[in-house]
Amino acid sequence: MDTRPHILDNLAPERRHADALAFLVGDVDQRHALAIATGYVNLGGLQLLASIADGRATRLLIGAQPMAGLGADSPLGVFATHRERLREERDLSRFPPSRAAKSLAAVSGWLDRPEVQIRRYTEQFLHGKAYLFGNKPDARVALVTSANLTSAGLYANLELGVANYDPAVANQASGWFEVLWGDAA
């Protein structure tokens, strides 16, 4: 990616969320922290962050599992399908053992770094996703998107994200994140 990303949808390499996130990490001065709010994460998403955000202060806010059907029991067929899809997504046995171990070690090492903080938002279902550079009142970029911090969200799913470089907008998005961060465990 050679130019600042604006619209991301994963339909072409130049519009992939993963590439845009990597570009922004390189484009925005490292003194500006990265704050991420997402409903879901997986090893692929964390692996990308570990490979690009090395040394940058990073806060990761992860949402809690929503209650199915507004608190009602989910139908067994939907549950079984979802469980199988999650099992396949997290099945590391399809990777060569050395590759899985290397990926897990890299992510574990990154998560243990002092500049990386993680909290879980449990007040209500966190559906919004944001990748924010800088802090209020000096925010630089707000990437607001439908893409979770997962391999599928960053590389393959048809998602829609908008990167906004307007400081007023980025500051408002950072303010939104700060409120949630303050309420998170």
Side-chain angles (χ1 to χ4, degrees):
M1 182 169 290
D2 296 327
T3 61
R4 283 182 153 183
H6 290 280
I7 301 294
L8 306 166
D9 56 18
N10 294 338
L11 288 174
E14 66 275 6
R15 294 196 319 253
R16 259 194 326 233
H17 283 76
D19 296 333
L21 191 54
F23 177 89
L24 292 171
V25 165
D27 188 52
V28 176
D29 190 289
Q30 188 166 347
R31 66 186 165 93
H32 297 288
L34 172 59
I36 300 170
T38 185
Y40 302 100
V41 298
N42 71 7
L43 181 60
L46 292 173
Q47 196 173 356
L48 174 69
L49 273 183
S51 71
I52 64 173
D54 189 35
R56 182 183 297 267
T58 303
R59 293 185 294 165
L60 179 57
L61 182 63
I62 304 169
Q65 179 71 23
M67 294 174 57
L70 301 175
D73 292 335
S74 58
L76 291 178
V78 172
F79 176 76
T81 301
H82 185 66
R83 186 181 64 197
E84 178 61 21
R85 193 173 58 212
L86 288 173
R87 185 194 65 74
E88 289 172 3
E89 180 180 325
R90 289 163 176 81
D91 180 11
L92 295 179
S93 65
R94 64 181 182 233
F95 296 114
S98 61
R99 183 172 163 205
K102 186 176 178 181
S103 295
L104 289 170
V107 167
S108 179
W110 179 74
L111 291 172
D112 287 339
R113 295 183 66 130
E115 69 270 12
V116 177
Q117 298 177 50
I118 301 172
R119 291 188 183 175
R120 188 165 178 238
Y121 187 77
T122 60
E123 297 296 313
Q124 66 186 87
F125 178 48
L126 174 60
H127 194 263
K129 292 81 161 175
Y131 301 80
L132 309 168
F133 289 84
N135 295 316
K136 193 174 181 176
D138 191 24
R140 298 302 169 130
V141 181
L143 169 54
V144 179
T145 180
S146 61
N148 280 300
L149 186 60
T150 62
S151 294
L154 295 172
Y155 292 97
N157 289 350
L158 178 56
E159 305 283 0
L160 182 60
V162 176
N164 193 310
Y165 301 90
D166 180 336
V169 173
N171 280 319
Q172 287 181 21
S174 291
W176 171 83
F177 181 88
E178 292 302 330
V179 169
L180 298 182
W181 185 259
D183 290 340

